[in-house]
Amino acid sequence: MRVSRLMLVTLRDVPADAEIASQQLLIRGGYIRRVGSGIYAYLPLMWRVLQRVMRIVREEMNQIGALETLLPQLQPAELWEKSGRWQGYTAGEGIMFHLEDRQERSLGLGPTHEEVITELASDLLKSYRQLPVTLYQIQSKFRDEIRPRFGLMRSREFIMKDAYSFHGDEGDLSNMYAQMERAYTQVFQRCGLTAVGVDADSGAIGGAASQEFMVTADAGEDLILISPDGDYAANQEKAVSIAPPALPLPSGEPKVIATPGQLTIDALCSAHALDPSQVVKVLLLLAKLESGDEQPVLVCLRGDQELNEVKLVNALTQQLDSPVLDLKPINAEQLKSQGLQPFPFGSIGPDLSDQHLAGAHSWRKKFYKLADTTAAELDRFVCGANTNDEHRWGCNWSDLGSIAAIDLRNARAGDRCVHRPEQSLEERRGIEVGHIFQLGRKYSQSMGAQITTNEGKQEHLWMGCYGIGISRLAQAAVEQRHDDAGMIWPLSIAPFQVIVVVANIQDEVQMALGEEIYNELRATGIDALLDDRGERAGVKFKDADLIGIPWRVVVGRAAAEGNVELVQRSKRDANVLSRAEAISTLLEAIPTELRVQL
Ligand code: ATP
Ligand code: MG
């Protein structure tokens, strides 16, 4: 390909609305253009990168026996009603784009495909003899993200590889899950990314294994916690740890202390020389359930710990027997609109009476109470007295009534590891590029997908699902590998492997040598680009750095002696070589299996 024919438009300035380096570089380098909020055009350079990523993904999926398929993006609401997810995905903060057709039938644009595939499986799979089966597809997904941002990282239309596997028993599912884990590791490695597998939240279904693959980069939206020995890595949403021990409260008789205006843990602790670990703080939240109920929730935490909302939502979903659609702190405004008297915010204790909820218009009239284990384990502590400006010092749980204790806190960097308490967790930021998940029988049960077993019984299928964010992965590669001058593509997914830059196209010797090298490289299967534009050499070098092609051959004045300059983008060191030397260096650097022209 010749750069003059590439419709290459590069920008010198950083686009105003691009927040992170990879997004800025992809726009500046002419890889992507924003069409609308969270909607991007993949320009020819980007499409080549995506095609290379997809090729690697396909090879690894085919290798483990997965079958490629293509499912519809337009999905009837009935399927989602059958699985019970229509409401959650379309109402409130639901992310499914949905519409009505001319016959007033509701449809959704696929954010994911569990419903469609399970319906097909229940139709097509009848006997254990057909199992296991794994299907995958690569296509655009649609999600009306609450905060689309960072270009392709969180967009509203994006490319995903999703796969679904079907099994007769749990053991067979675990087997496929392990194969997928290996295939994913291969995919990310072949794409030139440093990715780590981390334990991930598997939602409220519980029990089932789930792992995310994170590309480590400061711009990552996820916080991951890793043990120094590498044996433990988890998304903070899911991570567990041993909390630092609480400082014991000095001995003394229980008493009520005046705490005027001390509404935060910090204010309370500094006024009374307390350590936050000696305090039990209480959070009040309102859980909106799929059943339509609104449940006030009271959570007790040790003063030095933070609530992990994902853990709380999972616990509530399980214990209240209905998915939690929304969870927000209760504020004075809401109390008013429920017709309730103000609560003693800032001085609330674990034993806050249900009397406070009597007369609520739509809320349930009893608090659902939970305590984090670290709070429940305190012998004596300070907590609110349920009267404004007062706390109680020296409380214990037998005075307050016990509350069910579970792990509800965020694990943090510095906490000791559960598997080896002598090690402390470290934190990194991560970009989630893949997710594998043992779904179990959740969907096969709700959608009625059954097979006849070896013994002639009817049983629900076991399922796994496995995603890779293709477009997010491509941008993550840039986030992980770039410098001040531009992108540094890994050889395996670069849009072109070599760019031949003719410094002065008016010079016939230079132009002829450039063309010859370009043709010779292409004849060996190397995907080469020829910069044949009538721009100044400096402009062409800058563009070559920006678009990040791994190797650059500069054909300049030395062409007269048959010499060229060879530059590796990642090192930016120039070597003057004869044409033959340059080509043999490239042939050595670019293995035959990567010499696939698009
Ligand atoms: P996130 O937590 O980032 O919102 P998710 O867990 O909802 O992602 P999955 O349903 O697991 O995403 O989808 C599989 C993969 O698709 C993710 O691992 C990610 O790489 C990619 N992905 C998800 N949402 C987006 C998006 N809005 N834009 C680009 N890629 C996405
Ligand atoms: Mg995920």
Side-chain angles (χ1 to χ4, degrees):
M1 176 60 69
R2 290 159 189 273
V3 179
S4 61
R5 304 283 87 224
L6 196 60
M7 200 179 67
L8 180 68
V9 179
T10 56
L11 308 174
R12 290 286 155 250
D13 297 323
V14 176
D17 54 354
E19 295 156 276
I20 59 172
S22 53
Q23 178 189 14
Q24 294 167 353
L25 291 172
L26 287 174
I27 295 173
R28 285 185 47 212
Y31 279 71
I32 58 173
R33 270 285 184 283
R34 184 179 175 279
V35 173
S37 166
I39 308 172
Y40 286 84
Y42 311 122
L43 299 177
L45 284 174
M46 191 71 214
W47 185 236
R48 295 178 75 94
V49 173
L50 293 171
Q51 279 179 289
R52 292 210 199 271
V53 175
M54 291 189 278
R55 178 190 296 266
I56 291 172
V57 170
R58 281 200 172 93
E59 283 174 9
E60 295 298 330
M61 287 297 107
N62 297 344
Q63 179 74 30
I64 57 171
L67 305 165
E68 185 162 6
T69 185
L70 189 60
L71 303 172
Q73 286 155 319
L74 209 45
Q75 306 183 5
E78 293 87 79
L79 286 182
W80 288 73
E81 271 152 8
K82 214 163 163 183
S83 71
R85 293 208 294 180
W86 179 257
Q87 263 302 96
Y89 266 78
T90 55
E93 295 188 341
I95 50 149
M96 182 152 60
F97 286 102
H98 50 107
L99 57 129
E100 265 185 14
D101 68 13
R102 62 179 80 243
Q103 264 103 33
E104 292 173 7
R105 284 177 302 223
S106 293
L107 299 155
L109 281 181
T112 179
H113 280 75
E114 283 82 6
E115 278 73 4
V116 172
I117 197 96
T118 312
E119 183 77 359
L120 284 169
S122 88
D123 191 12
L124 298 168
L125 300 174
K126 298 292 181 200
S127 155
Y128 73 96
R129 286 198 192 87
Q130 295 167 281
L131 301 177
V133 178
T134 303
L135 295 164
Y136 77 97
Q137 60 171 348
I138 299 179
Q139 65 166 196
S140 294
K141 293 279 188 280
F142 299 88
R143 294 187 183 180
D144 196 358
E145 296 279 356
I146 294 164
R147 257 192 98 191
R149 58 181 190 154
F150 299 161
L152 308 186
M153 292 287 191
R154 186 168 297 286
S155 48
R156 299 198 299 162
E157 177 177 337
F158 58 96
I159 303 175
M160 195 201 287
K161 184 285 299 180
D162 47 331
Y164 306 87
S165 67
F166 298 93
H167 311 270
D169 59 58
E170 196 171 9
D172 200 45
L173 165 60
S174 308
N175 181 25
M176 187 65 210
Y177 182 81
Q179 289 189 53
M180 277 286 178
E181 185 182 339
R182 285 193 291 275
Y184 272 45
T185 306
Q186 277 291 109
V187 165
F188 302 126
Q189 200 189 328
R190 287 182 62 188
C191 289
L193 293 168
T194 307
V196 274
V198 304
D199 289 354
D201 172 48
S202 44
I205 342 172
S210 162
Q211 220 186 113
E212 287 166 344
F213 292 82
M214 297 282 182
V215 167
T216 47
D218 291 342
E221 289 189 294
D222 286 275
L223 185 68
I224 58 184
L225 292 162
I226 300 182
S227 66
D229 64 7
D231 287 349
Y232 181 78
N235 191 316
Q236 194 191 36
E237 291 180 350
K238 161 93 179 182
V240 292
S241 67
I242 303 171
L247 290 188
L249 204 61
S251 56
E253 284 301 304
K255 59 187 174 191
V256 170
I257 53 176
T259 54
Q262 294 155 23
L263 297 175
T264 62
I265 297 289
D266 277 354
L268 177 73
C269 288
S270 62
H272 301 273
L274 293 167
D275 184 80
S277 68
Q278 299 168 323
V279 180
V280 168
K281 65 179 171 190
V282 170
L283 307 179
L284 295 182
L285 302 111
L286 186 71
K288 293 199 173 148
L289 308 181
E290 202 178 57
S291 60
D293 283 357
E294 296 171 296
Q295 172 67 60
V297 178
L298 182 153
V299 181
C300 302
L301 289 172
R302 210 171 79 183
D304 61 332
Q305 300 299 315
E306 294 161 13
L307 175 67
N308 181 309
E309 279 200 27
V310 173
K311 291 180 185 175
L312 179 59
V313 166
N314 289 344
L316 291 172
T317 297
Q318 236 169 33
Q319 297 177 18
L320 299 174
D321 249 356
S322 170
V324 174
L325 298 184
D326 186 46
L327 185 71
K328 293 254 163 63
I330 291 177
N331 59 34
E333 201 78 352
Q334 288 168 310
L335 295 180
K336 221 189 215 166
S337 63
Q338 283 293 308
L340 297 175
Q341 292 301 312
F343 289 1
F345 285 119
S347 293
I348 292 176
D351 52 345
L352 183 71
S353 161
D354 290 331
Q355 280 305 318
H356 285 278
L357 295 173
H361 294 327
S362 58
W363 296 357
R364 285 187 182 170
K365 296 184 180 52
K366 205 168 163 16
F367 287 110
Y368 193 82
K369 295 187 178 181
L370 285 172
D372 176 62
T373 321
T374 55
E377 280 169 352
L378 291 175
D379 284 333
R380 290 166 65 254
F381 49 88
V382 173
C383 67
N386 297 320
T387 305
N388 283 323
D389 302 334
E390 283 184 3
H391 279 73
R392 287 167 288 181
W393 188 97
C395 268
N396 66 55
W397 288 104
S398 55
D399 296 339
L400 300 175
S402 72
I403 294 182
I406 48 164
D407 175 32
L408 290 175
R409 51 178 270 281
N410 271 337
R412 291 192 289 227
D415 286 355
R416 285 179 302 137
C417 302
V418 172
H419 74 295
R420 284 185 66 190
E422 66 279 14
Q423 297 200 357
S424 302
L425 289 175
E426 292 167 3
E427 79 178 32
R428 306 244 199 301
R429 308 274 342 160
I431 301 165
E432 181 195 325
V433 287
H435 195 168
I436 57 175
F437 203 142
Q438 294 189 23
L439 291 169
R441 293 188 289 188
K442 178 181 152 86
Y443 293 94
S444 60
Q445 279 167 348
S446 59
M447 315 245 346
Q450 292 191 322
I451 45 127
T452 310
T453 66
N454 202 358
E455 294 91 43
K457 283 193 296 192
Q458 285 291 106
E459 272 183 15
H460 288 109
L461 285 162
W462 291 80
M463 275 179 72
C465 73
Y466 318 90
I468 292 181
I470 302 281
S471 45
R472 183 185 282 182
L473 180 159
Q475 185 173 327
V478 179
E479 196 56 46
Q480 208 169 50
R481 298 170 47 125
H482 66 267
D483 61 18
D484 291 345
M487 301 169 237
I488 307 173
W489 285 105
L491 192 59
S492 58
I493 60 171
F496 292 93
Q497 293 151 341
V498 180
I499 181 167
V500 179
V501 181
V502 178
N504 175 10
I505 61 162
Q506 312 300 347
D507 182 322
E508 279 169 25
V509 179
Q510 287 184 27
M511 198 59 212
L513 184 60
E515 293 269 7
E516 279 171 33
I517 294 173
Y518 169 69
N519 288 325
E520 197 170 334
L521 289 173
R522 287 174 50 81
T524 67
I526 289 176
D527 227 337
L529 193 57
L530 177 69
D531 197 345
D532 58 343
R533 292 176 300 168
E535 301 281 354
R536 281 185 296 113
V539 170
K540 290 192 272 200
F541 297 156
K542 273 215 166 76
D543 277 347
D545 277 343
L546 176 61
I547 66 174
I549 308 301
W551 291 94
R552 176 159 104 213
V553 179
V554 180
V555 186
R557 284 200 199 96
E561 292 89 55
N563 287 339
V564 296
E565 220 175 72
L566 186 63
V567 186
Q568 196 174 356
R569 176 65 185 86
S570 58
K571 303 207 175 87
R572 299 185 83 191
D573 54 346
N575 282 313
V576 178
L577 302 173
S578 72
R579 159 205 174 147
E581 284 166 343
I583 286 176
S584 70
T585 309
L586 289 171
L587 288 178
E588 217 164 283
I590 303 168
T592 0
E593 65 270 18
L594 291 186
R595 287 189 224 150
V596 182
Q597 282 182 16
L598 289 177

